[in-house]
């Protein structure tokens, strides 16, 4: 016995006198519609089942709409003219992996951290002249949109430098090889919003909790 899909034989496995299984390739369900499924038995005797059964192929559901992003704060919010490139942390809600930070309407290289936080690479060329920059978050279609603006100030007055961080303890302070990823708490002092934990010299995604904890 052979299962037929719209009249064409498909690879069939005999299970019992009441059951067959057939391999249906992806190409058979690529287009929405209805397929006619029947069974053919070879000679002597045999023949095709008189009443084919309909197999419904529904259209793919439209992709879910992205939410409109909301930007509540940026850190840092100021820098001195002629400063170095830095990472801007954008905090808000309804961010998705395709959300991008915009600086005066131009997208900057953005790393998705969570639905409430993005990190954007701001080049030194953005700090060449004193003034203000308009920072926003944009999420592409479907849905999506652009957030309200936060203002970044580029000041001609030097901005006080960040303190040198001091590291006091780690929690946990060890792990078993092969035990998987972990969330490391770093305790110390003089931490700032842009502080980054480094593991063997390589930056790790860091969340600022307080001036004494990351």
């Amino acid at each position: 016995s052979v299962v037929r899909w719209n009249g064409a034989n498909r690879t069939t496995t005999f299970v019992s006198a009441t059951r067959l299984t057939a391999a249906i390739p992806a190409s058979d369900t690529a287009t929405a519609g209805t397929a006619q499924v029947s069974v053919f038995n070879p000679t002597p005797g045999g023949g095709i089942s008189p009443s084919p059964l309909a197999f419904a192929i529904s259209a793919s559901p439209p992709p879910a709409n992205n939410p409109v992003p909301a930007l509540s704060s940026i850190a840092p919010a100021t820098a001195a003219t002629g400063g170095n490139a830095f990472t801007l942390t954008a905090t808000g809600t309804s961010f998705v992996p395709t959300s991008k930070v915009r600086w005066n309407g131009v997208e900057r290289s953005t790393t998705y951290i969570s639905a409430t936080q993005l990190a954007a690479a701001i080049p030194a060329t953005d700090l060449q002249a004193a003034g203000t920059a308009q920072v926003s978050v944009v999420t592409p279609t479907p849905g999506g949109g652009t957030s309200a603006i936060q203002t970044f100030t580029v000041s001609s007055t030097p901005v006080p430098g960040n303190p040198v961080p001091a590291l006091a303890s780690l929690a946990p302070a060890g792990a078993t090889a092969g035990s998987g990823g972990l969330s490391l708490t770093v305790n110390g002092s003089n931490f700032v919003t842009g502080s980054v934990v480094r593991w063997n010299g390589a930056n790790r995604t860091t969340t600022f909790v307080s001036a004494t904890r990351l």
Side-chain angles (χ1 to χ4, degrees):
S1 296
V2 178
V3 172
R4 286 184 172 177
W5 180 277
N6 286 334
N9 291 350
R10 292 295 177 257
T11 301
T12 303
T13 301
F14 175 82
V15 179
S16 70
T18 61
R19 180 172 296 181
L20 304 171
T21 61
I24 307 302
S27 57
D28 281 346
T29 59
T31 304
T34 302
Q36 301 299 313
V37 179
S38 57
V39 173
F40 174 77
N41 281 352
T43 57
I48 193 166
S49 55
S51 300
L53 298 178
F55 184 97
I57 306 167
S58 59
S60 299
N65 284 344
N66 289 323
V68 178
L71 179 61
S72 58
S73 66
I74 55 175
T78 185
T81 54
N84 295 323
F86 67 98
T87 298
L88 179 76
T89 300
T91 301
T93 57
S94 301
F95 300 155
V96 299
T98 54
S99 296
K100 299 293 183 182
V101 171
R102 281 183 173 176
W103 180 279
N104 286 334
V106 180
E107 289 184 7
R108 292 292 176 256
S109 178
T110 303
T111 300
Y112 174 82
I113 299 173
S114 70
T116 61
Q117 197 167 77
L118 303 172
I122 307 302
T125 52
D126 284 341
L127 306 177
Q128 290 182 341
T132 58
Q134 307 299 305
V135 179
S136 60
V137 173
V138 62
T139 298
T141 57
T146 304
S147 72
I149 289 171
Q150 294 288 324
T151 300
F152 185 97
T153 301
V154 183
S155 174
S156 57
T157 303
V159 177
N162 289 322
V164 177
L167 183 60
S169 65
L170 305 175
T176 302
S179 58
L182 57 90
S183 180
L184 181 72
T185 298
V186 176
N187 300 303
S189 59
N190 294 335
F191 299 155
V192 298
T193 303
S195 295
V196 178
V197 172
R198 285 183 171 175
W199 182 279
N200 286 335
N203 290 352
R204 292 294 177 259
T205 300
T206 304
T207 301
F208 175 82
V209 179
S210 70
T212 61
R213 179 170 294 180
L214 304 171

